[in-house]
Structure formats: structure tokens, C-alpha cells
């Protein structure tokens, strides 16, 4: 998408994203709510069940993130049902994920 000057501006990107939300029936001023969440006790139990896997994975994730490309990235670890058990990476992205809740990843979605 180019404007008359050949480059798209940040403002145009934001306006386009907001219009896409509206076109899909979403309110662009609010983060979506995810109804399929784990309560704190269930999340704690699942994290305990996968504790060894989480610890091993964290070692490799720390190495990967320390090699850093400078790009904001988030890495999630999920269980077999797609519930997010652990997050690592850009703090701003992690905070956004936590605000929207711990939810189950949709089946068939690429990535974790």
C-alpha cells in the first residue's frame, strides 16, 4: 500500500488496521477477550506437570534470545491442549498476552 509519495506512513498503517477490525466486527479500541482460559489453580497444576520440560526449554530459549536480532519476539510453550504455559521474549508483547489472558491456541494454527 503506497501513498502518493511512494511510502506508507505509520498513521496509514494504523488507520488500515483499525478499518480491518471494524470490517470484521471488532472494536479497534479494545483488546479481544478470550473465553477459553485456565483458572490460576489449573494453570499452576499444568505448569507443575510440565516443570521439567519448561526448565529445559527455558535454557534454549534464553540462549536464542541472547543471540538477539533486535526484533521484538515472543516465544510460547504450550501443552498438548494448546494452553500457554510459559512465555519469553519482548516484555511489552508478553504484557499484552497476559492482559488478554491465558488461552488455548486454536487448533490448526501454525506456531505455538
Amino acid at each position: 500500500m503506497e501513498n502518493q509519495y511512494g511510502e506508507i506512513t505509520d498513521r496509514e498503517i494504523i488507520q488500515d488496521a483499525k478499518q480491518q477490525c471494524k470490517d470484521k466486527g471488532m472494536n479497534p479500541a479494545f483488546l479481544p477477550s478470550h473465553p477459553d482460559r485456565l483458572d490460576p489453580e489449573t494453570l499452576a497444576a499444568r505448569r507443575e506437570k510440565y516443570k521439567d520440560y519448561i526448565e529445559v526449554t527455558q535454557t534454549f530459549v534464553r540462549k536464542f534470545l541472547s543471540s538477539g536480532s533486535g526484533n521484538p519476539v515472543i516465544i510460547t510453550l504450550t501443552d498438548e491442549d494448546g494452553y500457554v504455559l510459559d512465555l519469553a521474549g519482548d516484555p511489552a508483547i508478553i504484557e499484552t498476552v497476559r492482559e488478554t489472558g491465558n488461552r488455548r491456541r486454536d487448533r490448526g494454527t501454525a506456531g505455538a
Side-chain angles (χ1 to χ4, degrees):
M1 184 166 120
E2 292 188 3
N3 65 21
Q4 64 183 357
Y5 304 108
E7 294 182 19
I8 188 168
T9 65
D10 288 348
R11 178 179 227 155
E12 290 169 322
I13 292 170
I14 293 168
Q15 287 173 336
D16 184 56
K18 287 182 177 183
Q19 186 58 51
Q20 287 180 37
C21 286
K22 289 176 186 175
D23 293 346
K24 294 176 183 178
M26 298 167 43
N27 182 341
F30 296 102
L31 291 173
S33 174
H34 303 288
D36 198 5
R37 299 180 186 189
L38 295 177
D39 60 76
E41 295 80 22
T42 304
L43 176 60
R46 289 200 189 195
R47 285 183 52 81
E48 181 60 31
K49 177 181 176 182
Y50 292 99
K51 183 174 90 173
D52 292 338
Y53 297 106
I54 292 170
E55 288 175 5
V56 169
T57 303
Q58 285 174 340
T59 301
F60 292 103
V61 168
R62 279 192 297 274
K63 286 182 181 183
F64 172 76
L65 292 174
S66 69
S67 68
S69 64
N71 294 321
V73 57
I74 185 170
I75 298 171
T76 60
L77 178 64
T78 63
D79 67 6
E80 72 273 9
D81 295 321
Y83 287 99
V84 177
L85 302 178
D86 196 33
L87 300 166
D90 183 85
I93 298 173
I94 290 173
E95 183 59 30
T96 300
V97 170
R98 288 192 172 131
E99 286 175 6
T100 60
N102 186 12
R103 71 176 188 94
R104 184 171 55 94
R105 184 186 78 232
D106 294 331
R107 297 276 181 208
T109 300

